[in-house]
Amino acid sequence: MRIVMIGTGYVGLVSGACFSDFGHSVCCVDKDVAKVNALRDGKIPIFEPGLDELVAKNVAAGRLEFTLDLAEALPGADAVFIAVGTPSRRGDGHADLSYVHAAAREMAPHLDPGAVIVTKSTVPVGTGDQVERIIREARPDLEFSVASNPEFLREGAAIEDFKRPDRVVIGVNDEHAAGVLHEIYRPLLGNETPLLAMTRPAAELTKYAANAFLAIKISFINEISDLCEKVGADVLDVAKGIGLDSRIGARFLQPGPGYGGSCFPKDTLALLKTGQDHDAPLRIVEAAVAVNDRRKRHMGRKVVQALGGDGNGKVVALLGLTFKANTDDMRDSPALAIVRALQDAGAQVRAYDPEGMEQAKALLDDDVVYCTDAYEAMDGADAAVIVTEWDAFRALDFDRVSELLRDRLLVDLRNLYDRADVERLGFRYVAVGR
Ligand SMILES: NC(=O)c1ccc[n+]([C@@H]2O[C@H](COP(=O)([O-])OP(=O)(O)OC[C@H]3O[C@@H](n4cnc5c(N)ncnc54)[C@H](O)[C@@H]3O)[C@@H](O)[C@H]2O)c1
């Protein structure tokens, strides 16, 4: 199959590289000149484990290429995937579909008959109809299909998720589109990956419902963790106790500083808007969003409380800035609210993240001191705070830490350590829900 991927970000680049690894011929298009030039020079613009090797291998095999020029990429394409961003629209929380609409308008003049246009971006119900209308207006006589194929990969484990997904969801209105998508995903189907074919609106909604459900699970365990702190229970016991129930499942039951990233915050908001527009309010999702909004800043206050209730004159070492480990993505990371809460309380922040510092610098103000490793961040700090669950923070050298920290205080917002172990070393230990 000949595939064109429009948008070469976290999803487009991983999907394009994996499709080419399946044996398809893939051309990735992006408008960002620096990104395309970097990719052509063999440089990967994002941090995603294993992606550099996968891209290099498939470029060398002649199955994967990058271009700025849609007109050059599109002729002969069997499928054109749209993988552009769908951020929150400023002011109202609806998904901003301007990039999706622009991609549809730009591709229309260059499509060949029989092309299947597939939205891989996370888009609200009805977006497939809009894409179809835009192309139909530009090319009234063209035979084409529009399908939905939402993506469920997780940053940090994106290649594994793409190649061994729990399921592939396709929303199709016609046999031709179903056939093309079946052919594209055929290499996965032998591994018993279910390919779920449904209507386009059902596929579009499935992605939002999945993200909202996972966000609810996170907010739920975070509220239970607050209750655990009040009643002297250990949330890890409770999470295990409920997670082993197969009706509930253990994943997404880790308490922490709240969910962030490029998907859950914007997708939960967009789903709430869809619910309101259709007079079907989603109260449980609303509560999950409200709990999460409060939680991020509350984590900053938790640190200040641990410092004795006053941040003035205090120096805090933040270990980790990205919204989770194994990505450089800082979008809506809880670290952003935590830094602000600490600075508002008068504290100075020294920070280190293995991959996210460049992206963090663009989002945080200049008062943050960026360090080259965790130990430099802790040098002269009053307390260390683990914000992201990077492996590099799981086995800190506590002899070194005790020499560097002014006050032996570790605030562990990811519950990476055992309380008894840390206290035995003479540290005060503040965790989440324990
Ligand atoms: N990041 C994730 O983990 C993830 C997971 C599942 C689904 N999604 C969804 O996938 C979509 C893409 O997310 P992302 O994180 O990859 O976004 P991203 O911001 O990393 O990448 C989007 C890319 O599209 C490019 N672009 C925008 N308009 C274009 C156009 N008209 N022509 C060519 N290129 C264009 C941008 O330059 C950018 O490189 C979103 O809808 C998101 O919700 C993301």
Side-chain angles (χ1 to χ4, degrees), residues 6-12 29-32 35 83-86 99 102-103 106 120-122 151-155 207 262-263 266-267 331:
I6 302 184
T8 310
Y10 287 85
V11 165
V29 185
D30 206 289
K31 286 196 152 170
D32 184 329
K35 198 175 269 191
V84 300
T86 49
Y99 301 101
E106 290 158 11
K120 196 166 245 325
S121 299
T122 302
E151 182 49 57
F152 298 95
L153 64 77
R154 293 163 301 164
E155 288 173 18
K207 172 65 188 175
S262 67
C263 292
K266 77 171 176 64
D267 292 347
R331 289 177 280 188

Side-chain angles (χ1 to χ4, degrees), residues 218-426:
I218 293 171
S219 280
F220 174 78
I221 200 66
N222 280 338
E223 283 203 308
I224 293 291
S225 88
D226 287 346
L227 181 58
C228 283
E229 285 180 15
K230 297 275 160 61
V231 301
D234 185 330
V235 70
L236 298 187
D237 292 336
V238 178
K240 198 167 189 183
I242 61 175
L244 286 174
D245 184 327
S246 59
R247 293 169 302 176
I248 296 172
R251 295 170 74 189
F252 282 76
L253 285 181
Q254 287 82 32
Y259 59 76
S262 67
C263 292
F264 289 1
K266 77 171 176 64
D267 292 347
T268 45
L269 283 188
L271 182 62
L272 290 180
K273 293 295 166 187
T274 302
Q276 285 166 11
D277 284 352
H278 291 82
D279 203 16
L282 298 157
R283 302 273 184 245
I284 298 172
V285 185
E286 268 172 30
V289 170
V291 167
N292 197 63
D293 283 348
R294 274 199 306 273
R295 185 154 192 93
K296 295 182 183 178
R297 204 173 156 82
H298 173 67
M299 289 295 119
R301 290 198 298 272
K302 186 180 173 86
V303 176
V304 174
Q305 257 170 24
L307 286 165
D310 185 3
N312 279 306
K314 297 284 167 59
V315 179
V316 178
L318 285 197
L319 308 188
L321 294 168
T322 51
F323 80 99
K324 65 173 179 179
N326 295 324
T327 182
D328 57 352
D329 203 336
M330 280 296 299
R331 289 177 280 188
D332 270 315
S333 172
L336 301 171
I338 293 171
V339 168
R340 273 180 218 118
L342 290 170
Q343 289 177 333
D344 288 350
Q348 198 206 330
V349 174
R350 295 170 66 81
Y352 168 68
D353 188 280
E355 295 292 339
M357 305 256 268
E358 283 314 308
Q359 301 215 19
K361 284 176 191 169
L363 297 172
L364 290 166
D365 67 33
D366 296 341
D367 291 341
V368 175
V369 177
Y370 295 96
C371 302
T372 52
D373 66 18
Y375 299 100
E376 189 187 319
M378 288 187 275
D379 193 359
D382 293 277
V385 182
I386 296 174
V387 179
T388 314
E389 70 284 22
W390 286 98
D391 280 346
F393 308 142
R394 287 177 192 273
L396 292 170
D397 175 348
F398 278 89
D399 288 341
R400 256 179 103 184
V401 175
S402 59
E403 281 168 20
L404 296 170
L405 282 183
R406 289 204 291 232
D407 191 3
R408 290 175 160 211
L409 169 61
L410 177 64
V411 182
D412 181 0
L413 299 181
R414 298 291 182 162
N415 289 334
L416 299 188
Y417 285 90
D418 189 80
R419 174 182 298 284
D421 290 347
V422 179
E423 289 182 346
R424 201 176 308 119
L425 296 166

Side-chain angles (χ1 to χ4, degrees), residues 13-14 17 20-21 38-39 41-60 64 66 159 355:
L13 182 55
V14 171
S20 66
D21 209 44
L39 285 161
D41 287 346
K43 298 190 192 96
I44 305 296
I46 55 170
F47 176 74
E48 181 59 48
L51 190 54
D52 42 2
E53 289 99 334
L54 193 73
V55 169
K57 175 182 149 197
N58 286 288
V59 168
L64 180 60
F66 303 98
I159 296 171
E355 295 292 339

